[in-house]
């Protein structure tokens, strides 16, 4: 081999080796990548609480817990070019409208809520093969919702909407004992003049193998991003164990 050709051959081999080393290092450091996640949150919300401060066409909300979303922790909007296409979930439409409705905007023709959930969360969950299409993502979320059957558990436990208050610890301990894992429960904080928080959302966590796991984080680890549900000027936050809990049975708009 001539010296000139040998020089270019060696240079080319060195460049390829350097490229492979960089790629290997990139994957080795993948835990710090912004789109890396470790668990999924299946969020149920209570439609009456969702409507509590909504100043729009939120009327006659379902009287059962509905799906808010399926959210990977620590990642959002992983592929902004992968747009929502409602035709991909046309076979799921009946269950979507029943169990995953847009509570605030009740028109059956509205799909903005599902679009938001797919583009913000579904595009990140799609790193799993079982969630790597819109039909798989929405379909599997519906399956998990049915598997958890939160409505069925609450009914059996006698925890139902009431004008009387519940103790937060009783609800939390009951859920943990029944499911064998610790969920994340969120409430609206008391308004001025109120003494009770209002239950609004219950989240169950799943591993990447879609097995239930605790939602609690080890000390030193941060939890998922703040919930994207905001009601009026108030946001849901983790319920206070020391405050009574209101589980409202009907919408009572502020005057």
């Amino acid at each position: 081999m001539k010296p000139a050709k040998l020089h270019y051959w060696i240079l080319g081999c060195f460049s390829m080796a350097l490229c492979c080393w960089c790629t290997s290092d990139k994957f080795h450091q993948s835990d710090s990548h912004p789109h890396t996640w470790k668990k999924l949150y299946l969020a149920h919300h209570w439609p009456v609480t969702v409507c509590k401060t909504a100043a729009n066409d939120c009327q006659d909300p379902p009287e059962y817990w509905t799906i808010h979303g399926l959210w990977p922790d620590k990642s959002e909007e992983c592929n902004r070019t992968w747009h929502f296409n409602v035709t991909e979930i046309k076979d799921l439409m009946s269950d979507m409208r029943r169990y995953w409705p847009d509570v605030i905007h009740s028109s059956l023709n509205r799909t903005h809520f599902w679009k938001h959930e797919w583009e913000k969360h579904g595009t990140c969950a799609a790193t799993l093969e079982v969630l790597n299409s819109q039909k798989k993502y929405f379909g599997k979320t519906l399956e998990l919702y049915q598997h958890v059957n939160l409505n069925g558990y609450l009914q059996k436990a006698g925890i139902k909407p009431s004008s009387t208050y519940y103790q937060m610890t009783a609800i939390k301990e009951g859920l943990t004992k029944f499911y064998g894992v610790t969920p994340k429960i969120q409430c609206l904080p008391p308004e001025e003049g109120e003494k009770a928080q209002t239950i609004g959302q219950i989240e169950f966590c799943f591993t990447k193998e879609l097995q239930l796991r605790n939602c609690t984080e080890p000390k030193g680890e941060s939890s998922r991003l703040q919930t994207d549900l905001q009601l009026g000027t108030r946001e849901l936050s983790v319920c206070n164990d020391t405050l009574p809990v209101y589980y409202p049975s009907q919408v009572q708009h502020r005057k």
Side-chain angles (χ1 to χ4, degrees):
M1 184 180 292
K2 293 183 179 180
K5 290 185 177 180
L6 179 62
H7 171 77
Y8 287 116
W9 181 80
I10 293 174
L11 184 61
C13 290
F14 176 76
S15 298
M16 289 178 65
L18 182 62
C19 179
C20 290
W21 178 82
C22 291
T23 302
S24 175
D25 184 65
K26 178 179 178 182
F27 283 106
H28 181 70
Q29 300 295 329
S30 62
D31 283 348
S32 62
H33 191 275
H35 292 162
T36 298
W37 55 272
K38 295 181 179 179
K39 62 176 177 283
L40 290 163
Y41 289 79
L42 175 63
H44 304 67
H45 55 193
W46 180 238
V48 176
T49 301
V50 175
C51 290
K52 187 175 180 182
T53 60
N56 49 32
D57 60 346
C58 183
Q59 298 176 354
D60 300 320
E63 296 180 355
Y64 51 89
W65 289 79
T66 60
I67 300 170
H68 186 175
L70 184 67
W71 309 329
D73 66 329
K74 303 176 184 177
S75 62
E76 296 180 351
E77 297 182 343
C78 295
N79 187 344
R80 296 185 179 183
T81 64
W82 197 351
H83 300 299
F84 176 70
N85 181 357
V86 71
T87 61
E88 293 192 26
I89 60 170
K90 61 183 180 180
D91 296 341
L92 306 173
M93 199 58 65
S94 177
D95 283 346
M96 289 292 292
R97 287 173 173 163
R98 178 174 175 80
Y99 302 119
W100 201 333
D102 185 339
V103 174
I104 294 178
H105 309 100
S106 58
S107 170
L108 291 178
N109 295 322
R110 290 183 182 269
T111 60
H112 177 76
F113 181 41
W114 303 332
K115 176 179 183 294
H116 166 81
E117 290 300 313
W118 166 253
E119 294 180 357
K120 186 172 183 179
H121 305 292
T123 55
C124 300
T127 55
L128 291 186
E129 184 177 354
V130 293
L131 301 173
N132 66 1
S133 71
Q134 293 178 46
K135 185 171 184 179
K136 286 182 180 181
Y137 171 73
F138 289 105
K140 183 58 69 173
T141 303
L142 289 166
E143 283 183 31
L144 294 175
Y145 170 82
Q146 297 286 5
H147 173 69
V148 169
N149 190 18
L150 176 61
N151 292 291
Y153 161 73
L154 293 173
Q155 185 176 10
K156 289 179 181 178
I159 302 173
K160 55 187 179 181
S162 173
S163 58
T164 58
Y165 298 146
Y166 290 91
Q167 294 300 315
M168 188 64 248
T169 51
I171 295 177
K172 183 184 293 185
E173 289 171 3
L175 287 167
T176 300
K177 183 178 180 180
F178 183 79
Y179 289 102
V181 294
T182 304
K184 180 178 179 180
I185 309 175
Q186 300 199 78
C187 295
L188 286 177
E191 289 190 272
E192 186 176 353
E194 294 180 345
K195 65 178 183 179
Q197 57 196 336
T198 302
I199 195 167
Q201 189 153 283
I202 299 177
E203 302 171 16
F204 289 90
C205 291
F206 289 83
T207 65
K208 288 188 174 182
E209 293 72 39
L210 302 185
Q211 299 298 311
L212 279 168
R213 55 155 289 175
N214 290 329
C215 287
T216 51
E217 294 286 353
K219 290 184 178 179
E221 288 191 22
S222 59
S223 60
R224 70 171 299 276
L225 299 175
Q226 177 65 31
T227 178
D228 56 1
L229 176 62
Q230 182 173 344
L231 305 180
T233 58
R234 297 188 295 163
E235 291 186 357
L236 290 169
S237 58
V238 174
C239 301
N240 186 326
D241 287 346
T242 65
L243 292 177
V245 180
Y246 179 42
Y247 186 2
S249 60
Q250 58 185 359
V251 180
Q252 294 179 337
H253 293 287
R254 291 182 298 176
K255 296 180 179 179

